[in-house]
Amino acid sequence: IGDQEVKTRYIMNSLNPTWNEVLRLSVPNPPQPLKLQVFDRDYFSADDKMGDASIDLNPLLRVVKLHEGLLFNGNMNFRKVVATKENGMLKDSTIQLKDGEIVQDVCIKLNNVEKGQIELELKWRPLPAS
């Protein structure tokens, strides 16, 4: 997002890696898309780009703003984001309350590659009050 950059660890010998990592980024106002880039790892040359994707955070942030300051527990669906060619999602995405936190599960197609996809969970966490 913007000039922020985070990286996952490298998964060896896998065409379908699973990371199970938590990566944290601050969302600027106005929000910018979350840009993802996938690379392979080369030891003796530059890493090769395997694809990229961009996720619009606005649907998630609209739900967050609507429910700001309200306390919820349990699970509840707030909104569905329909998969379209324009947003690159491979299946509809639900923004929901899971165990008291607003989350969005996303399955998105990688661009600039023959085939590939990324599945991730976006979770909103407000910054602690200073």
Side-chain angles (χ1 to χ4, degrees), residues 53-94:
S54 183
I55 300 171
D56 180 9
L57 298 175
N58 283 303
L60 176 65
L61 296 177
R62 280 195 283 278
V63 169
V64 167
K65 286 182 183 177
L66 281 173
H67 299 88
E68 201 167 34
L70 301 176
L71 297 176
F72 292 98
N73 287 319
N75 300 318
M76 174 187 328
N77 289 343
F78 288 125
R79 180 174 181 202
K80 180 165 79 170
V81 179
V82 177
T84 66
K85 190 173 185 173
E86 289 76 29
N87 66 22
M89 290 187 188
L90 294 172
K91 57 186 176 183
D92 294 347
S93 173
T94 302

Side-chain angles (χ1 to χ4, degrees), residues 1-2 11 18 24 37 40 65 71 80 91 99 125:
I1 300 175
I11 307 288
T18 300
R24 291 187 172 101
Q37 295 182 336
D40 73 352
K65 286 182 183 177
L71 297 176
K80 180 165 79 170
K91 57 186 176 183
D99 302 320
R125 291 226 171 118

Side-chain angles (χ1 to χ4, degrees), residues 8-55:
T8 62
R9 62 187 161 79
Y10 171 65
I11 307 288
M12 292 181 64
N13 303 323
S14 177
L15 295 175
N16 294 303
T18 300
W19 286 277
N20 277 333
E21 292 187 34
V22 174
L23 305 172
R24 291 187 172 101
L25 296 164
S26 296
V27 178
N29 190 9
Q32 297 174 3
L34 173 61
K35 295 181 181 179
L36 308 171
Q37 295 182 336
V38 178
F39 290 85
D40 73 352
R41 179 143 187 190
D42 293 325
Y43 289 102
F44 302 109
S45 62
D47 295 346
D48 297 317
K49 188 171 183 181
M50 302 296 291
D52 57 71
S54 183
I55 300 171

